[in-house]
């Protein structure tokens, strides 16, 4: 690497819990075997290009507070090239196996469709060289269909077909880029695929357009050799007042209705689950139960406010619960844990980017260790299963198989009389989790 953007930071290594080095992992020991996989294979960490290298933490009330040394050129393409150098230096030093990007994160929009395509292709060929020399891989690519003013009324759900076509052009180029870089998934997050007000909106027509657009994207991707999962990332609102991909349950229904269930899965983000009024584990479990948990945007929402704070995931309980869902479905691959997270606006030192990722990676690694221990060595699964034991045999099992009628239920109730009360033991379940935090 020609330049260094993080001269004072050495590659981050595992040093264990006794270290007092803040630039070291205490739990993330990539080659440590946990059950049937190494930590690296379980967690499949990815770095989000946008939060880490693009946005200097400007907010609606003020300019950025971070000063990015890779953004010092007058020409946007030169900035994009420096940004790429900085990004790969960071991926390597933090020891993340994957990264994720939007088309506009890595290359600036040009003054025409062709110029935008050319910009993207130029950066993609440089990114490919970096991937080859570092071994860092692309977890997923996506198209930014929400920042440009043309998308103010949506992209594929825009009432104006001319805007939808621009969305199509961008997704085509982003799919080309993802395939070129060996991306393992492709994400659709529909920030403006929703409405600002229902009064002027034909919701049914917009949802059908979204479905049609996704089928076209799927077919094009398959045609150019994309074999990975397409992922929808649910979010209930922000920037739209109402977003169509509200939560996992809504997306599961939509994918089935639109004939997309075989090719699409869900990318669950913690903060988006919180905004939808759920817990992280709830949205993960809903997607997983539908066979559709494809990947995770690993971050943390703030329970005291109603927006997408995208904090780094530092809540151990949250990560334990998440890893319990992921382990029970046999892992997250070919998805991963993408840090769709930004440092706080007040974390203005460049080194804060390292500290934030280190604590995020360690929290998930620790969550993995604890979740695995609970599932393997505690009676958690048996306790849960025993609550449903009455369906395992006899009439309960006949009910599950569909061989009883409503009259049968009536007769069984009349015969057996008042059921014995059975405690749900919630505090005992909670105690069990706490007892395994060692
Ligand atoms: C924004 C989303 C976005 C997606 C990718 O809220 O989380 O960052 O992950 O478009
Ligand atoms: Ni996200
Ligand atoms: Ni978010």
């Amino acid at each position: 690497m020609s330049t260094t953007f993080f001269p004072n930071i050495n590659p981050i290594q595992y040093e264990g819990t006794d270290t007092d080095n803040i630039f070291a992992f205490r739990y993330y020991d990539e080659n440590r075997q946990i059950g049937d996989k190494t930590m690296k294979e379980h967690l499949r960490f990815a770095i989000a290009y946008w939060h880490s290298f693009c946005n200097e933490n400007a907010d609606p009330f003020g300019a950025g507070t971070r000063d990015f040394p890779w953004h010092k050129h007058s020409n946007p393409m030169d900035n994009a090239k420096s940004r790429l150098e900085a990004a790969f230096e960071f991926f390597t030093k933090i020891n993340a196996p994957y990264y994720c990007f939007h088309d506009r994160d890595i290359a600036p929009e040009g003054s025409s469709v062709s110029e935008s395509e050319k910009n993207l292709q130029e950066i993609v060929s440089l990114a490919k060289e970096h991937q080859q020399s570092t071994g860092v891989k692309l977890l997923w690519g996506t198209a930014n269909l929400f920042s440009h003013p043309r998308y103010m009324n949506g992209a594929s759900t825009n009432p104006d077909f001319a805007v939808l076509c621009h969305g199509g052009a961008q997704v085509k180029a982003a799919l080309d880029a993802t395939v070129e870089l060996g991306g393992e998934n492709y994400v659709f997050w529909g920030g403006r695929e929703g409405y600002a007000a229902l009064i002027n909106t034909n919701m049914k027509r917009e949802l059908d357009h979204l479905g049609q657009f996704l089928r076209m994207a799927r077919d094009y991707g398959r045609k150019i050799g994309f074999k990975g999962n397409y992922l929808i990332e649910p979010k209930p609102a922000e920037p739209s007042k109402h977003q169509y991909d509200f939560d996992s349950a809504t997306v599961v229904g939509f994918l089935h209705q639109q004939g997309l269930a075989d090719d699409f899965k869900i990318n669950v983000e913690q903060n988006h689950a919180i905004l939808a009024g759920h817990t992280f584990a709830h949205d993960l479990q809903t997607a997983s139960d539908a066979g559709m948990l494809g990947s995770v945007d690993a971050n943390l929402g703030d329970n005291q406010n109603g927006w997408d704070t995208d904090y780094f995931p530092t809540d151990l309980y949250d990560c334990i619960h998440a890893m319990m869902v992921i382990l029970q479905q046999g892992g997250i691959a070919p998805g991963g844990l993408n840090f769709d997270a930004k440092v706080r606006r007040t974390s203005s030192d460049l080194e804060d980017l390292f500290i934030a990722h280190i604590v995020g990676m360690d929290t998930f690694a620790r969550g993995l260790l604890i979740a695995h221990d609970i599932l393997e060595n505690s009676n958690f699964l048996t306790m849960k299963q025993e609550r449903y034991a009455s369906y395992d045999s006899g009439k309960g099992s006949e009910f599950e198989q569909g061989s009883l009628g409503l009259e049968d239920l009536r007769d069984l109730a009349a015969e057996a009389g008042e059921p014995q009360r059975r405690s749900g033991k919630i505090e005992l379940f909670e105690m069990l989790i706490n007892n395994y935090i060692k």
Side-chain angles (χ1 to χ4, degrees):
M1 216 153 286
S2 44
T3 8
T4 166
F5 290 101
F6 310 101
N8 303 324
I9 312 261
N10 294 319
I12 310 301
Q13 282 166 350
Y14 170 73
E15 292 183 9
T17 50
D18 291 338
T19 187
D20 49 19
N21 179 8
I22 57 166
F23 293 99
F25 297 119
R26 282 162 176 68
Y27 295 93
Y28 182 59
D29 182 5
E30 61 171 355
N31 296 319
R32 178 165 169 196
Q33 194 78 20
I34 309 294
D36 60 348
K37 298 186 190 75
T38 62
M39 274 198 165
K40 183 178 174 181
E41 292 163 342
H42 273 290
L43 298 165
R44 298 171 59 84
F45 288 132
I47 308 301
Y49 212 95
W50 51 104
H51 284 312
S52 294
F53 314 108
C54 300
N55 184 349
E56 300 188 2
N57 268 359
D59 74 7
F61 303 93
T65 56
R66 297 195 283 179
D67 190 20
F68 286 162
W70 48 92
H71 281 171
K72 299 297 177 203
H73 307 271
S74 50
N75 172 335
M77 274 304 273
D78 290 337
N79 277 339
K81 287 174 193 168
S82 292
R83 188 153 73 234
L84 191 74
E85 298 277 333
F88 274 87
E89 184 184 345
F90 182 80
F91 304 154
T92 315
K93 285 188 168 170
I94 199 72
N95 197 19
Y98 289 99
Y99 72 113
C100 300
F101 64 74
H102 300 85
D103 51 356
R104 301 303 186 235
D105 303 337
I106 60 168
E109 174 141 7
S111 56
S112 64
V113 168
S114 309
E115 193 181 312
S116 298
E117 289 167 344
K118 200 174 130 283
N119 288 351
L120 186 61
Q121 282 156 9
E122 194 176 333
I123 302 293
V124 163
S125 48
L126 296 172
K128 199 172 179 178
E129 288 169 19
H130 279 288
Q131 286 186 203
Q132 276 156 1
S133 62
T134 59
V136 176
K137 294 188 281 185
L138 179 64
L139 185 68
W140 49 261
T142 188
N144 177 333
L145 304 184
F146 44 89
S147 292
H148 194 283
R150 79 169 74 87
Y151 297 123
M152 66 181 184
N153 288 305
S156 67
T157 61
N158 200 296
D160 183 353
F161 179 60
V163 177
L164 182 144
C165 292
H166 273 267
Q170 254 185 267
V171 169
K172 178 185 173 294
L175 276 165
D176 288 337
T178 302
V179 170
E180 176 75 16
L181 294 171
E184 297 183 23
N185 304 267
Y186 184 88
V187 163
F188 291 90
W189 170 66
R192 298 193 196 271
E193 310 292 27
Y195 59 71
L198 187 57
I199 189 80
N200 70 349
T201 302
N202 185 333
M203 185 157 59
K204 175 161 186 357
R205 216 163 167 186
E206 292 195 2
L207 276 163
D208 285 341
H209 293 171
L210 175 60
Q212 181 60 31
F213 186 89
L214 294 175
R215 287 189 295 274
M216 290 164 79
R218 173 199 60 193
D219 294 345
Y220 177 74
R222 295 299 182 225
K223 194 169 76 183
I224 61 166
F226 177 65
K227 298 208 167 47
N229 287 327
Y230 296 96
L231 301 169
I232 303 264
E233 182 177 324
K235 187 177 183 180
E238 192 196 358
S240 302
K241 167 196 155 61
H242 174 88
Q243 191 167 312
Y244 293 139
D245 303 326
F246 198 90
D247 59 2
S248 287
T250 310
V251 173
V252 168
F254 173 80
L255 291 175
H256 281 289
Q257 186 201 23
Q258 293 288 337
L260 294 164
D262 292 338
D263 298 271
F264 282 70
K265 287 188 181 324
I266 298 176
N267 181 37
V268 174
E269 176 168 321
Q270 198 276 2
N271 205 154
H272 299 179
I274 298 291
L275 292 175
H278 305 307
T279 59
F280 187 22
H282 170 94
D283 248 30
L284 291 167
Q285 190 70 61
T286 303
S288 182
D289 288 346
M292 287 184 174
L293 175 56
S295 203
V296 171
D297 268 9
N299 64 13
L300 181 65
D302 190 316
N303 289 323
Q304 274 75 52
N305 65 25
W307 71 87
D308 199 16
T309 55
D310 291 345
Y311 298 154
F312 273 82
T314 54
D315 183 326
L316 183 57
Y317 280 94
D318 219 40
C319 293
I320 296 171
H321 289 299
M323 289 315 300
M324 283 174 72
V325 179
I326 290 170
L327 287 174
Q328 286 183 82
Q329 77 157 26
I332 196 67
L337 304 180
N338 166 48
F339 290 108
D340 189 356
K342 57 173 180 257
V343 296
R344 309 294 216 284
R345 190 176 146 78
T346 52
S347 299
S348 50
D349 294 340
L350 265 192
E351 67 168 35
D352 293 325
L353 191 61
F354 281 89
I355 295 169
H357 280 90
I358 291 168
V359 64
M361 290 163 84
D362 263 349
T363 310
F364 262 99
R366 202 173 166 193
L368 164 66
L369 288 167
I370 295 165
H372 180 261
D373 199 13
I374 292 171
L375 294 173
E376 290 297 312
N377 303 317
S378 81
N379 56 355
F380 167 79
L381 289 173
T382 337
M383 275 165 59
K384 202 164 144 182
Q385 201 187 345
E386 273 168 4
R387 296 193 67 221
Y388 301 87
S390 60
Y391 295 92
D392 289 343
S393 59
K395 293 292 172 189
S397 149
E398 286 177 38
F399 161 79
E400 278 197 347
Q401 284 151 27
S403 54
L404 296 184
L406 197 61
E407 312 90 306
D408 297 316
L409 298 186
R410 185 261 156 214
D411 292 346
L412 288 164
E415 216 174 284
E418 190 55 31
Q420 224 185 2
R421 218 170 282 168
R422 289 180 189 279
S423 168
K425 294 273 181 254
I426 297 178
E427 295 81 2
L428 182 62
F429 278 86
E430 290 169 343
M431 178 197 281
L432 189 149
I433 304 283
N434 280 7
N435 289 349
Y436 275 77
I437 300 179
K438 290 165 188 154

